[in-house]
Amino acid sequence: MIELQNTVLGNSLELSALPVPRGGFADVFADHIARWSARTGAPSAAQAVAADAARRLILAMDEGHVCLVEPKFADPAMLQHLFDSGMVAMHTDPGNRPMLLDAAGRLYLHRMIDHEQALARALDAMAAAPLAEAEPAAVIALRERFAHVPAGTLDGQQLACASALCSRLLVLSGGPGTGKTTTVVNLLAVLLAQTPTLRTALCAPTGKAAARLVESLRARAELLPAALRECMPQAAATVHRLLGYQAHDRRFRHHAGNPLDCDLLVVDEASMLDLALARRLVDALPAGARLVLLGDKDQLASVEAGAVFSQLSQQRALGAKQRARLAALCGVDPRALDDIALGDEDTLPAHVCWLTENYRFREQPAIASLANAVRDGKADTALAVLEDRAQTAVGRLPEPPQTAQLETALSEGFAEYFRLLAAGSRDARALLAALGRFRVLCAQRQGAKGVTRLNQLARRLLAQSQNVPMPAIAAERLVGEPVMLQANDYALELFNGDVGVLLPDEAGQLQGVFERSDGRLLHVPQARLTRSDTAFAITVHKSQGSEFDAVMVVMPEAPGPLATRELLYTALTRARLRVLVSGSDAVLRHAIATPGSRLGGLPDRLTEAAQARRDTLRAPATHESR
């Protein structure tokens, strides 16, 4: 019982630290709440209501929500039962209650609303922190980096850089191809001009995303002067590695008492940050450090509970003084910023920037049109793009696809990869490059259109390309089989989501070959790859942080909870050149009409934090006036 109480009251333990019987944690937690409530002497009716609420809350968290919203919580009798149980209190007076209710009727585990409150306080403090005026060298660098922008024209990337120069916090949202990484390179160049000794840390939620961030920064930094290029950060880490996650005691080495050693932290693919991890990351920032969060507010949220980035980036506003200051830095008339709402410059929306101009899809506008239609909830437009035979960047499989049609799509997509293997190639770099040009992205793991079946079909084609007897493929892995890691291996510096290829070593034994971000190859014995899956087809969630020349997007057979707008949008925007979609009109319409909402109260917590800060600032003046 003490362990459970520590878990839900916000101490270091997490739900996953507890042993879970076959009935599932929701039932276990409900039973604990009922017995805990009984020990306090609560009425039996109150015990039952609290236990039911606890079970529903855990089930909601399993679906990615931070809290539970039930219409019946608005009923006075139901509320009284919750409070009489001794298990629920208002979040403004929490005590040691395991569940807390906020003013909007959201029910939380104690530790989850604690995460929201701590994150909100930290971000609000950063949003409100005043910074000195930009140094002349930084202003010159800003103008130089955007000398190509016509005079008097407002450029979104330049505005983002100016905003970062003027504050400790920048939340930058933009779809793939809108120039987030280019903006970061220019931002770093401007900040380094102001502070040459700037200590910068780069991170992302996954190893793959961290590697891509470094690769992209290096490529774009080639255009910088040599002196600046040498100052650019050369490595990125996963968030867990940056924070020094210690698996043996489930703690982080870096926290408020032992902060990170950096002046600027850049977090890429921030839409993948769950609430708990975002709180840990912000807790570990040293006083005065800057934070830049990069992501796409329209993408899938994290696998774990929370939709932090989406909630942070939904609104943007500028204060009057801030508007004039940014306009001066960008060399434009302040009226050029009139389409951005007027707000308070000491709150978080004043530090949000959106990049909207897409550079990647200029040569393939059909992909942009399809993705934008999905993002905007326009099903008719999206289906029209899919049926437009005049363009070749977007295609569609017949529904339902027959096995032969799926095999043809796989054969064509992986044609170069299969050709290299059939020719006897064991060149890992060439194979990984070919593999990276195409991927199958599925909404689900099981079923006729799931990851498991698509991988089975692809493995059969792989075997045929090398004349491997068919009975052998079910029992053992094949030469050339791509594998994706399902867990981090810090000793090898390999991470969940990394993809390698199985190739024979000198003794003929299969080993996984992975390419690091610095280009080096890492050879791993197959015996060490027990937590890995075949990776011809992967889930859309696993594809976040990756890009491919072409993708095949495989939606479920029927409308359901997995088919959401964010999932379809995320899948489509993994492609650079071509998209092939498998999904019926009914499924696609359902997905486009179904935004995947994550319940949580972070925006309210930010409002509360700002109000508390202002009340604190007013308090001395009020006291003196008496």
Side-chain angles (χ1 to χ4, degrees), residues 58-108:
I58 298 302
L59 292 176
M61 291 177 62
D62 285 345
E63 295 178 359
H65 303 297
V66 172
C67 56
L68 173 67
V69 176
E70 287 276 7
K72 59 186 180 183
F73 289 166
D75 177 71
M78 180 64 65
L79 278 177
Q80 194 60 52
H81 281 315
L82 287 174
F83 293 137
D84 287 347
S85 72
M87 298 293 100
V88 178
M90 292 302 295
H91 82 293
T92 51
D93 186 22
N96 65 346
R97 300 296 192 270
M99 294 183 290
L100 301 177
L101 197 69
D102 74 358
R106 305 180 187 97
L107 184 69
Y108 291 83

Side-chain angles (χ1 to χ4, degrees), residues 441-452:
L441 309 181
C442 300
Q444 60 195 33
R445 295 198 63 83
Q446 303 304 324
K449 298 179 72 178
V451 166
T452 300

Side-chain angles (χ1 to χ4, degrees), residues 151-446:
T153 301
L154 181 65
D155 181 88
Q157 295 184 22
Q158 185 179 20
L159 179 63
C161 290
S163 181
L165 185 59
C166 292
S167 71
R168 284 183 54 201
L169 177 65
L170 174 64
V171 180
L172 181 60
S173 176
T178 53
K180 294 189 295 293
T181 308
T182 301
T183 303
V184 170
V185 169
N186 288 326
L187 184 156
L188 288 172
V190 170
L191 291 178
L192 284 166
Q194 177 165 281
T195 310
T197 58
L198 188 76
R199 300 168 301 164
T200 302
L202 307 176
C203 70
T206 68
K208 183 67 175 178
R212 278 196 58 244
L213 174 61
V214 172
E215 292 166 5
S216 299
L217 285 177
R218 282 177 181 161
R220 288 160 177 79
E222 288 299 319
L223 301 177
L224 294 177
L228 271 178
R229 191 165 60 245
E230 291 174 2
C231 296
M232 287 285 159
Q234 299 298 312
T238 65
V239 175
H240 279 79
R241 189 168 186 82
L242 179 76
L243 294 178
Y245 180 66
Q246 299 168 310
H248 65 281
D249 60 2
R250 306 176 65 82
R251 296 178 186 273
F252 293 97
R253 187 170 65 254
H254 292 292
H255 44 74
N258 180 31
L260 296 164
D261 184 24
C262 67
D263 303 310
L264 168 67
L265 175 62
V266 178
V267 187
D268 197 15
E269 298 292 348
S271 60
M272 299 167 69
L273 283 177
D274 61 83
L275 175 62
L277 191 57
R279 186 261 176 97
R280 305 293 187 204
L281 191 61
V282 173
D283 273 355
L285 276 177
R290 282 179 163 93
L291 174 65
V292 175
L293 298 174
L294 307 173
D296 185 346
K297 62 184 176 62
D298 300 306
Q299 272 194 44
L300 278 169
S302 61
V303 175
E304 303 297 331
V308 172
F309 187 82
S310 176
Q311 291 174 339
L312 294 179
S313 56
Q314 283 299 328
Q315 293 184 324
R316 66 172 182 169
L318 291 175
K321 292 181 180 178
Q322 183 187 27
R323 188 184 302 267
R325 188 179 187 188
L326 292 176
L329 284 171
C330 295
V332 299
D333 190 299
R335 289 174 293 182
L337 283 73
D338 281 352
D339 62 331
I340 302 175
L342 189 65
D344 297 320
E345 59 191 52
D346 65 340
T347 58
L348 188 133
H351 304 272
V352 173
C353 288
W354 299 337
L355 299 180
T356 56
E357 184 174 357
N358 195 294
Y359 301 93
R360 179 195 298 175
F361 296 133
R362 284 178 173 175
E363 296 181 3
Q364 301 292 351
I367 298 178
S369 297
L370 178 58
N372 291 342
V374 170
R375 180 197 64 199
D376 298 337
K378 298 178 179 179
D380 289 342
T381 303
L383 291 174
V385 174
L386 282 171
E387 298 302 329
D388 182 4
R389 302 290 185 237
Q391 53 78 30
T392 59
V394 173
R396 191 175 182 187
L397 283 174
E399 286 297 320
Q402 302 301 308
T403 298
Q405 293 167 328
L406 290 172
E407 288 181 337
T408 297
L410 292 170
S411 294
E412 293 175 352
F414 292 111
E416 181 185 0
Y417 188 70
F418 290 154
R419 179 183 58 77
L420 287 171
L421 288 166
S425 174
R426 299 296 181 260
D427 184 338
R429 285 192 175 85
L431 288 167
L432 288 168
L435 183 66
R437 296 190 182 101
F438 177 72
R439 200 59 50 89
V440 181
L441 309 181
C442 300
Q444 60 195 33
R445 295 198 63 83
Q446 303 304 324

Side-chain angles (χ1 to χ4, degrees), residues 516-537:
R516 296 183 185 274
S517 59
D518 60 5
R520 290 184 297 129
L521 294 178
L522 180 65
H523 299 79
V524 182
Q526 186 182 352
R528 194 155 180 174
L529 301 176
T530 54
R531 299 186 66 182
S532 64
D533 292 337
T534 305
F536 287 111

